[in-house]
Amino acid sequence: FEEFAAALLNVWTRSFGTGPLLPPDETDDTHEQEDLRVELQDYMDDFGIDLLTKGCHSMVPVLDLYNHFGTNPNVGFAYNTSQGAFVVTSTMRIPVGQEVMDSYGKHTEA
């Protein structure tokens, strides 16, 4: 049980929400996006899991290595549906040698 609990904590504390996995505009779907839309609808129909509009949490290598600075982070991240990837962007000019800091969101300062 201890190994399971440790693994679960790793996922809970190092996963990031994607938001919706596809752009809301269905008129510009590529064949690949349409296949994904059908697959995500299957999850909703079969299991009641709404990945299409709510998204999911996923492990994002490297993103969890940034330090947390909740009051004034110098980078932000978001899931980019057109690129199918998390994208990190600076929110201000970061001088050479300054640490890259993001916000983990609604987590406590531990």
Side-chain angles (χ1 to χ4, degrees):
F1 175 78
E2 289 178 18
E3 289 177 5
F4 170 77
L8 186 59
L9 273 175
N10 276 324
V11 172
W12 281 350
T13 60
R14 290 172 174 82
S15 64
F16 297 85
T18 62
L21 295 176
L22 287 173
D25 182 11
E26 297 183 27
T27 59
D28 293 336
D29 275 358
T30 64
H31 182 67
E32 183 177 289
Q33 286 176 326
E34 181 55 31
D35 288 347
L36 180 56
R37 190 176 302 281
V38 169
E39 183 177 347
L40 295 176
Q41 186 61 48
D42 286 343
Y43 276 99
M44 183 64 174
D45 296 342
D46 296 343
F47 306 110
I49 300 172
D50 185 4
L51 298 173
L52 188 59
T53 61
K54 294 186 179 180
C56 64
H57 279 258
S58 61
M59 301 294 284
V60 184
V62 180
L63 190 56
D64 66 325
L65 297 176
Y66 293 144
N67 282 325
H68 171 71
F69 191 60
T71 58
N72 196 23
N74 55 19
V75 297
F77 61 89
Y79 184 77
N80 183 306
T81 56
S82 64
Q83 293 181 16
F86 278 89
V87 176
V88 178
T89 54
S90 64
T91 58
M92 62 183 71
R93 190 172 189 287
I94 304 172
V96 172
Q98 183 176 339
E99 189 170 2
V100 175
M101 306 285 277
D102 71 353
S103 173
Y104 296 164
K106 297 179 183 181
H107 293 274
T108 60
E109 299 285 342

